[in-house]
Amino acid sequence: MSADRRPPAATNAAPQGAPVRFALNGRPLEAREGQSLAAALLAAGVTTLTRSPKYRRPRGIHCARGHCPNCLLRVDGVPHVRSCIVPVRDGMRVETEGATAARVDPLRAIDKAGALFPVGFQYRWFKRQNLAWRLWEGQLRRTAAETEMPAPTEVPPAERIAADLLVVGAGPAGIAAAAAAAEAGLRVVLAGRRAALGGGQRTMLEHGEGPADLQAALARVRDDARVRILAPGTVVAAFDKRYLVDAGTHVIEVTAVLSVLATGAYERAIPFPGNDRPGVMLTSALRRLALEDRVLAGRRAALVATDDSAYAHAAELLAAGMEVVAIADVRTDGGLPASAADLHAAGVELIGGARVSGIGGRGALRGLLLAAAAGERLVRCDVVGMSGGWQAADELRYVATSDGQAVVVGERARPLHPDAPADEPMAVLQGVGAVVGTRDVAAAVEEGARAGALAAANVARPADG
Ligand code: FES
């Protein structure tokens, strides 16, 4: 099934939801309501959720955000569910899929014979040899289609919603944009990938904490009849001013005059040997698990960094009760952020110009290996975070078109209407928050509120003319 180890430590803030019972491959487990399924499994000591299809290498939580293939599980008969963004529910039946579920999998030997497969090796090379290809083709088909499809069900008809403004992303910037637009009288659809609103501030908001203007905006979008919340609601396609939203149970077609893109940013991984092993994940995933799911992915963390956000996350992890033993900053050019001094005082070793050579330990992760003048050094830890900087989650801009009008994110576009305010034109698809590089929560809320008001100023005009 999965490579288990001792359960992780509890955070300083104990899980607050009611207890729920679920089962993994028939094994009964307990969790707390509000936790993601992947976090609940991690809390139960399950670290390997899937295996890579080719080399069968174990895979655990990587992003905790629904953006990688590492945590796919079969849930209540539905295959390939991203367990890190699905809340655990009482009575849930969870199964590992394909190679992960197999008790005996001879193909795991391929990983051990890695030396026979040079970098860049592709199985299709066998195609040059007919007999070998015929043998391999069947095997490849079997390994690629590892999961059983569910019985076909009737597809519910698509729902259609007409709105003035679609806000894609239900984090702080998106909530603020939706609230401001609704306050100005627009019909708004707010679509977020997760069932809970708030993005990275979700848990804080649930406990009535966080910036007052964000709390007020959240209350408005929940109470204002002009706001339709689609959560979960993943916008998967955009055609002209029509957007298709996957609501989990059915598809919704939203037609909106304007859209605000508040989809946030992805943290990037850092390449080094072993960075795909369970226990090595994005630092934002460590943070998300600790602060939102109240599960520590390990007791002692080492962070590999090319970005200052590692230092802010380290402070949050320390506050949550995780020991952060070191930050291995691979940058060689520049000083440390101001917060580094506090971290150093708290016992975090700061290693500048680090050269990461791998991960220690054959089974359980034992530490981070650094290349040093005197050989290799092992920084002892049981979990590793990677902070490789941020990249806009702006895929929608590449698929969005709007009847000949420029679709621009993060820039001023030409006015939607000739009499729109000259100094504040709004693009058909306007970016706010982390998707355009605004990482500060207060600034993102302000930016979102401004975009919502601006949308109202623009959308009010078609009816005029
Ligand atoms: S999608 Fe779940 S860990 Fe990446």
Side-chain angles (χ1 to χ4, degrees), residues 38 60-72 82-85:
I61 295 176
H62 170 73
C63 69
R65 211 197 139 173
H67 289 296
C68 75
N70 276 24
C71 69
L72 299 177
R82 285 198 161 85
S83 57
C84 67
I85 54 169

Side-chain angles (χ1 to χ4, degrees), residues 151-177:
T153 52
E154 212 163 286
V155 180
E159 186 185 346
R160 290 189 167 75
I161 304 175
D164 298 313
L165 178 72
L166 167 67
V167 179
V168 188
I175 290 171

Side-chain angles (χ1 to χ4, degrees), residues 325-393:
V325 291
I327 299 177
D329 197 323
V330 304
R331 295 174 292 188
T332 51
D333 54 347
L336 298 174
S339 58
D342 291 341
L343 293 174
H344 184 61
V348 180
E349 185 185 1
L350 305 176
I351 307 163
R355 283 163 48 220
V356 181
S357 54
I359 294 296
R362 283 183 174 275
L365 190 156
R366 283 199 310 118
L368 179 68
L369 289 166
L370 300 180
E376 220 165 34
R377 177 191 163 198
L378 179 72
V379 177
R380 287 193 179 280
C381 62
D382 58 4
V383 68
V384 171
M386 298 179 282
S387 300
W390 298 84
Q391 169 182 329

Side-chain angles (χ1 to χ4, degrees), residues 64-455:
R65 211 197 139 173
H67 289 296
C68 75
N70 276 24
C71 69
L72 299 177
L73 294 169
R74 192 178 190 89
V75 176
D76 294 332
V78 178
H80 285 4
V81 173
R82 285 198 161 85
S83 57
C84 67
I85 54 169
V86 168
V88 66
R89 284 189 313 271
D90 207 35
M92 218 175 207
R93 270 184 309 111
V94 184
E95 293 156 279
T96 46
E97 299 182 289
T100 321
R103 278 179 188 279
V104 180
D105 179 12
L107 289 182
R108 285 182 198 172
I110 291 180
D111 193 27
K112 305 279 181 283
L116 299 174
F117 302 95
V119 173
F121 170 82
Q122 295 291 337
Y123 287 118
R124 68 168 182 273
W125 289 0
F126 287 126
K127 215 166 176 176
R128 294 174 193 156
Q129 296 128 37
N130 280 340
L131 177 61
W133 174 247
R134 275 203 298 276
L135 292 172
W136 265 110
E137 190 182 29
Q139 183 59 44
L140 287 177
R141 281 173 193 266
R142 278 192 291 280
T143 53
E146 282 184 321
T147 200
E148 212 182 297
M149 292 305 289
T153 52
E154 212 163 286
V155 180
E159 186 185 346
R160 290 189 167 75
I161 304 175
D164 298 313
L165 178 72
L166 167 67
V167 179
V168 188
I175 290 171
E183 191 175 359
L186 295 197
R187 295 166 303 152
V188 181
V189 170
L190 173 63
R193 282 171 65 96
R194 300 182 72 149
L197 305 182
Q201 308 300 308
R202 171 174 73 101
T203 310
M204 240 172 26
L205 288 169
E206 272 167 15
H207 295 108
E209 298 158 12
D213 46 357
L214 179 56
Q215 288 189 52
L218 180 63
R220 174 170 286 279
V221 298
R222 282 188 170 144
D223 298 342
D224 195 318
R226 283 169 292 212
V227 182
R228 170 82 186 268
I229 296 173
L230 306 179
T234 306
V235 179
V236 292
F239 310 95
D240 211 348
K241 290 171 187 170
R242 290 180 303 127
Y243 300 82
L244 292 187
V245 183
D246 174 3
T249 49
H250 64 301
V251 171
I252 302 174
E253 183 188 300
V254 177
T255 308
V257 181
L258 287 175
S259 302
V260 165
L261 192 64
T263 39
Y266 307 118
E267 189 166 39
R268 284 191 287 261
I270 297 176
F272 55 81
N275 76 343
D276 60 340
R277 285 180 51 172
V280 183
M281 62 185 80
L282 300 177
T283 308
S284 55
L286 288 176
R287 174 199 179 274
R288 196 172 289 255
L289 290 165
L291 271 58
E292 295 184 24
D293 296 295
R294 317 263 173 160
V295 175
L296 293 186
R299 288 176 165 78
R300 291 163 58 87
L303 308 184
V304 183
T306 63
D307 186 75
D308 287 356
S309 59
Y311 296 81
H313 284 159
E316 289 179 300
L317 291 172
L318 283 169
M322 185 181 270
E323 186 185 351
V324 180
V325 291
I327 299 177
D329 197 323
V330 304
R331 295 174 292 188
T332 51
D333 54 347
L336 298 174
S339 58
D342 291 341
L343 293 174
H344 184 61
V348 180
E349 185 185 1
L350 305 176
I351 307 163
R355 283 163 48 220
V356 181
S357 54
I359 294 296
R362 283 183 174 275
L365 190 156
R366 283 199 310 118
L368 179 68
L369 289 166
L370 300 180
E376 220 165 34
R377 177 191 163 198
L378 179 72
V379 177
R380 287 193 179 280
C381 62
D382 58 4
V383 68
V384 171
M386 298 179 282
S387 300
W390 298 84
Q391 169 182 329
D394 61 351
E395 293 87 348
L396 206 56
R397 68 182 282 194
Y398 299 108
V399 297
T401 58
S402 183
D403 49 25
Q405 183 146 208
V407 173
V408 181
V409 175
E411 297 171 26
R412 298 289 163 89
R414 61 195 163 103
L416 183 61
H417 309 290
D419 52 350
D423 59 332
E424 288 191 335
M426 185 167 181
V428 173
L429 186 67
Q430 178 97 14
V432 292
V435 75
V436 289
T438 308
R439 298 213 47 79
D440 177 70
V441 174
V445 170
E446 202 182 306
E447 206 169 88
R450 189 168 163 274
L454 187 55

